[in-house]
Amino acid sequence: MQRKILLLLPALLLLSSCGTEPAKPASGGASSMTASTTSADPSMKSAAFQYPATRRVDQVDNYHGTSIADPYRWLEQADSADTKRWIQAQNALAQPYLESIPARERIKQRMTQLWNYERYDIPVKRGNRYFYLRNDGLQNQSVLYITERLNGEPRVLLDPNQLSKDATVALSEFVPSPDGRLVAYSLSDGGTDWRTWHFRDVATGKDLPDVLRFIKFVPISWTGDSKAVYYARFPLQAGGKGDDTKQREVYWHKLGADVAGDQLIFKVTDHPTRNPYVQISDGGKYAIFWLYDGSQSTGIYYRKIARDGTPSGETVRLIDSFDANYQFIAEIDDVFYIRSNKDAPNAQVIAMPVGATKQASRVVVPESKFSADEVSIVGQRIIVQYLQDAYSLTRVFDLHGKAQYDVKLPGLGTALGFDGGVQDTETFFGYSDFLTPMTISRLDLTTGATEIFRAPKLAADASQFEVKQVFYKSKDGTRVPMFIAHKKGLTLNGQNFVQLYGYGGFNIPQQPAFSVPVLVWLEMGGVYAVANLRGGSEYGEAWHAAGTKLQKQNVFDDFIAAAQYLVDEKYTAPAKIAIRGRSNGGLLVGAVLTQRPDLIGAALPGVGVLDMLRYQTPSSNARQWSSDYGLSENEAEFRAQLAYSPLHNVHKVCYPPTLVTTADRDDRVVPWHSYKFAATLQAAQACPNPVMLRVETRAGHGAGKPVWMQIEDYADQWAFLVKSLHMEPGRPAVAAAGL
């Protein structure tokens, strides 16, 4: 799962549950928009919005001989008094506008009703104990439970709802010790990606004094004796804070010892951008250092661990070529099992004996016609989670690569989980699709039999809806899949309201997943479509690479073609299409908004990467995105970025209604992307259609967002669409939903 550590997670944060991603003007890119015929909202013809005054500065940068103005550079100073006043003024415009929409309160009420269902996360077994998260429905944060028997009476081990009045302190990760007697857990305060790690005694429910800080994106890893941990943290600034402009360093901490004396185990000294992560092999024999330098450039080093948990011997560079993606899976009997896409775009499983070179590796599970998206080894069995046209196919092999059985799934949806130890006899997984909330099942690894552990009960009739998968042609003829959900018996008359969602980046697939807000949209009579754009991993590395760097425009072309398909097939009309995306998907929406404003009726870019020339400046994490985006320091990549960068392709035309959303504590995609883009759009808007910026406070990129805040957020967005797309309350489908 570590290879997915990027801009996260699609909407499984917010649907996601999370991290986070060119047309040439002469050939239909941004400059071709000058003849845009996007119509203004008839209800707003009386007067344009009075947007907050945004001063311009005389900032011009030179990129390879091209001068680029950046008049809103001052908004990058997030903590300045001027920026804070500007944010307050933007919220003072947006929030009353959104709250005045009559449908908003009814949408909020329905979302609250549907969100109120019991849900579970996948159990983790350590020792003789099971750990899992449970939410009774409207709890703002899920609660960590523990039980000695799978179906026994659980007890609360940690309730994060008690940690802050507004529920914005979230439990981010938890990692039980191998013996199950302790649990390490991390907290995020107000949406930040920075984590503070604590250690709790399971028997007493009390925390140990040990606290680890300055950690982002990486869990800790226990030694085999459950007495110490390895962890990767950022070095310290002079003021004592973590410095995420530098590379992580790996430390060893013995419980009960002073953290200030933790031993430095590993750091990268021969490359400026490679970031180390650390894993301990099952049984605690090896410390594995996984070096990340972009989604397709990784290496694997290792070091032996002594019986007392301390590092022993020298660091060995097992894979040091950085010519593909290599993911450590497990070590069994001094053999490392690794997922690799070297010379295998759909990935394969290879085995490498300790001390061997990469040339001595052997293929265990060969490349398939399907993309091997995730691999784990549990109970001496290799579990491969394939993507078959963007839905899950899970196959189990023995350690020699012989197929044993396929895991039975209830439909064409998404399966995830399948973690555990190499000696376990069971594992757990979750299944979800657009109409099915996450159902947790147990898999008997010996027999292949599955049984449901927890299945949510929803206060809605999902049988009235249907989901289909279609395939359409993109601009260059590429066949692209898309899921479409709507009420049964939908009339294809070109008059339906469509929400089109996409991501298209960082090897992250967009698979079917349940979302309460999407279900509310369907109840409102809307159509919901998810396009499986290039840049994801739906069809392996070739699909990913086709949506990166100089090929990034393919992603936007795929999304534009999806919208055009929905029009051509009479699902809808351009004025009734809303496009939505988050993070790298926010870039997607911004790019399509500026390239084809005539094709859409409303836009919802969330926490987006919108200034492609400067995205890499805030942190070493952001610079890692160059594997998908390239860097403006490279002239060819700069030219490609400039052609699609949303901030740099805004012109004086009529844009459809647009709601830009971000959060003031987002330290993954820093909020100034949205600030500068919104200011530029507002200055250029050539008609009364609203361009709103809504900035959430005490929130970040999405992870850990309390339920109350998610409901408010989606109520704002859906209400904005009701008004912008003219989904009149009198329409039968909307009225039937109480809207």
Side-chain angles (χ1 to χ4, degrees):
M1 300 293 286
Q2 285 180 324
R3 69 191 187 88
K4 302 283 189 190
I5 300 171
L6 294 163
L7 292 172
L8 186 202
L9 308 286
L12 246 70
L13 265 170
L14 286 184
L15 2 135
S16 202
S17 1
C18 223
T20 93
E21 23 105 58
K24 299 176 181 177
S27 60
S31 67
S32 67
M33 303 179 310
T34 52
S36 168
T37 58
T38 301
S39 61
D41 184 336
S43 68
M44 300 170 190
K45 287 184 178 179
S46 57
F49 285 89
Q50 296 300 310
Y51 296 112
T54 309
R55 64 181 173 88
R56 297 170 63 90
V57 298
D58 190 20
Q59 174 69 45
V60 178
D61 300 309
N62 186 293
Y63 294 88
H64 311 285
T66 299
S67 295
I68 303 293
D70 193 1
Y72 303 122
R73 177 74 60 84
W74 63 274
L75 287 171
E76 294 184 11
Q77 306 304 314
D79 294 328
S80 75
D82 284 351
T83 301
K84 289 180 179 179
R85 280 192 292 268
W86 183 84
I87 293 169
Q88 290 172 352
Q90 291 287 346
N91 278 341
L93 173 67
Q95 206 58 51
Y97 173 83
L98 295 168
E99 291 177 356
S100 71
I101 299 171
R104 185 189 185 281
E105 186 59 30
R106 295 190 291 275
I107 292 171
K108 177 183 171 181
Q109 290 175 2
R110 183 56 177 156
M111 284 192 187
T112 303
Q113 291 170 354
L114 289 183
W115 222 298
N116 191 14
Y117 71 96
E118 185 182 40
R119 50 196 178 273
Y120 289 77
D121 278 6
I122 299 169
V124 175
K125 185 181 182 182
R126 293 293 183 270
N128 63 348
R129 294 182 166 113
Y130 295 89
F131 302 77
Y132 57 79
L133 294 172
R134 173 187 174 272
N135 194 302
D136 66 10
L138 292 178
Q139 287 177 298
N140 283 304
Q141 303 288 347
S142 293
V143 177
L144 179 59
Y145 286 83
I146 184 173
T147 181
E148 274 70 34
R149 293 182 297 109
L150 185 58
N151 290 304
E153 187 66 27
R155 63 181 172 90
V156 173
L157 184 59
L158 176 63
D159 182 358
N161 296 289
Q162 306 300 317
L163 301 178
S164 61
K165 290 183 178 180
D166 61 359
T168 56
V169 174
L171 170 62
S172 300
E173 302 98 356
F174 69 92
V175 184
S177 61
D179 61 12
R181 296 182 178 182
L182 299 169
V183 62
Y185 67 92
S186 70
L187 298 178
S188 167
D189 185 359
T192 178
D193 280 330
W194 289 107
R195 303 291 190 257
T196 302
W197 282 84
H198 305 262
F199 299 84
R200 179 157 293 194
D201 184 290
V202 170
T204 66
K206 297 185 180 299
D207 281 352
L208 307 182
D210 310 67
V211 180
L212 306 179
R213 306 181 191 277
F214 317 118
I215 299 172
K216 273 189 181 185
F217 307 123
V218 291
I220 62 91
S221 196
W222 288 92
T223 55
D225 61 5
S226 300
K227 295 180 179 179
V229 296
Y230 286 71
Y231 66 100
R233 68 165 172 83
F234 288 100
L236 302 185
Q237 298 174 337
K241 294 183 178 181
D243 186 356
D244 64 355
T245 67
K246 303 293 194 302
Q247 292 156 290
R248 294 183 192 84
E249 300 169 343
V250 178
Y251 287 84
W252 176 77
H253 173 71
K254 185 173 181 62
L255 293 181
D258 185 353
V259 173
D262 285 355
Q263 182 180 348
L264 176 64
I265 300 304
F266 177 79
K267 64 184 297 186
V268 177
T269 59
D270 58 354
H271 196 281
T273 60
R274 291 171 184 166
N275 253 314
Y277 301 73
V278 62
Q279 294 172 260
I280 303 301
S281 63
D282 206 16
K285 193 172 182 180
Y286 296 96
I288 311 298
F289 308 118
W290 182 71
L291 276 65
Y292 180 85
D293 193 23
S295 58
Q296 289 308 309
S297 182
T298 60
I300 297 177
Y301 302 171
Y302 70 88
R303 190 173 176 181
K304 288 185 177 180
I305 297 177
R307 289 189 176 182
D308 63 358
T310 59
S312 174
E314 299 297 319
T315 298
V316 178
R317 300 190 175 206
L318 182 70
I319 297 177
D320 197 33
S321 53
F322 291 89
D323 56 356
N325 180 282
Y326 301 94
Q327 178 192 9
F328 171 79
I329 306 168
E331 173 269 326
I332 301 175
D333 297 331
D334 286 336
V335 175
F336 292 145
Y337 291 83
I338 295 166
R339 176 194 178 277
S340 165
N341 63 13
K342 174 64 175 175
D343 300 324
N346 284 345
Q348 59 189 1
V349 179
I350 62 175
M352 295 181 64
V354 169
T357 63
K358 189 171 64 171
Q359 288 70 27
S361 65
R362 60 183 173 85
V363 175
V364 180
V365 179
E367 180 184 24
S368 163
K369 64 179 180 179
F370 304 127
S371 172
D373 201 52
E374 296 290 345
V375 182
S376 57
I377 294 182
V378 187
Q380 303 282 325
R381 286 170 173 79
I382 302 171
I383 304 173
V384 183
Q385 299 178 55
Y386 292 104
L387 291 175
Q388 180 176 351
D389 290 330
Y391 56 84
S392 291
L393 167 65
T394 303
R395 186 161 291 163
V396 178
F397 301 83
D398 66 20
L399 292 181
H400 301 289
K402 182 179 179 181
Q404 302 291 292
Y405 52 83
D406 288 354
V407 178
K408 294 181 180 179
L409 301 176
L412 303 184
T414 302
L416 49 87
F418 301 102
D419 294 321
V422 297
Q423 301 301 329
D424 289 348
T425 59
E426 65 180 356
T427 188
F428 296 88
F429 66 95
Y431 172 85
S432 176
D433 57 40
F434 290 112
L435 304 178
T436 307
M438 183 68 71
T439 298
I440 309 299
S441 296
R442 175 186 178 273
L443 170 65
D444 184 314
L445 289 162
T446 303
T447 66
T450 63
E451 59 178 332
I452 292 177
F453 169 59
R454 294 290 185 270
K457 296 179 180 179
L458 200 64
D461 178 17
S463 67
Q464 63 182 305
F465 308 110
E466 63 179 322
V467 180
K468 64 184 72 171
Q469 186 178 47
V470 301
F471 296 85
Y472 64 91
K473 292 290 183 66
S474 189
K475 182 178 179 180
D476 63 359
T478 298
R479 182 175 180 263
V480 181
M482 177 165 58
F483 294 101
I484 305 175
H486 54 73
K487 283 191 173 181
K488 292 178 179 177
L490 182 77
T491 302
L492 299 182
N493 58 4
Q495 298 302 307
N496 301 295
F497 297 100
V498 171
Q499 190 178 147
L500 175 60
Y501 182 87
Y503 187 80
F506 297 100
N507 233 359
I508 297 175
Q510 296 305 290
Q511 294 185 259
F514 180 77
S515 162
V516 165
V518 169
L519 184 58
V520 171
W521 177 259
L522 295 176
E523 287 186 340
M524 292 163 59
V527 176
Y528 184 71
V530 177
N532 297 106
L533 316 172
R534 281 174 283 187
S537 63
E538 285 86 345
Y539 296 107
E541 174 52 21
W543 193 254
H544 168 235
T548 64
K549 293 187 175 181
L550 303 186
Q551 307 300 315
K552 188 65 180 176
Q553 180 61 34
N554 285 335
V555 181
F556 315 133
D557 289 342
D558 290 354
F559 205 54
I560 291 167
Q564 191 62 57
Y565 173 92
L566 294 165
V567 172
D568 293 344
E569 296 299 315
K570 306 299 183 184
Y571 282 93
T572 189
K576 299 177 184 293
I577 298 176
I579 57 174
R580 183 171 69 93
R582 302 186 69 260
S583 195
N584 174 75
L587 161 61
L588 168 71
V589 171
V592 173
L593 170 67
T594 53
Q595 291 181 23
R596 289 296 307 275
D598 60 302
L599 187 58
I600 56 178
L604 297 173
V607 292
V609 186
L610 299 161
D611 180 349
M612 298 312 300
L613 304 186
R614 287 178 55 78
Y615 76 85
Q616 71 273 23
T617 57
S619 69
S620 62
N621 176 62
R623 196 174 182 87
Q624 296 272 0
W625 307 340
S626 61
S627 61
D628 267 46
Y629 295 152
L631 292 167
S632 56
E633 295 103 277
N634 177 292
E635 184 170 2
E637 292 171 352
F638 159 73
R639 301 293 173 193
Q641 290 172 333
L642 183 61
Y644 70 79
S645 176
L647 180 68
H648 301 95
N649 285 282
V650 174
H651 298 275
K652 196 78 173 177
V653 299
C654 180
Y655 289 102
T658 300
L659 176 62
V660 182
T661 55
T662 188
D664 64 349
R665 295 168 67 91
D666 190 342
D667 48 7
R668 191 176 311 187
V669 179
V670 286
W672 56 251
H673 282 273
S674 295
Y675 301 165
K676 291 164 64 174
F677 184 59
T680 305
L681 272 178
Q682 288 175 349
Q685 180 64 302
C687 64
N689 286 340
V691 175
M692 297 288 182
L693 171 67
R694 198 212 58 198
V695 183
E696 193 71 75
T697 57
R698 281 197 59 77
H701 198 62
K705 204 170 186 178
V707 165
W708 74 262
M709 194 179 287
Q710 294 186 55
I711 292 173
E712 295 286 347
D713 181 9
Y714 281 111
D716 281 348
Q717 294 184 59
W718 274 212
F720 184 82
L721 296 185
V722 167
K723 185 172 181 66
S724 300
L725 302 180
H726 309 297
M727 299 173 68
E728 296 87 356
R731 293 182 70 253
V734 179
L739 299 173

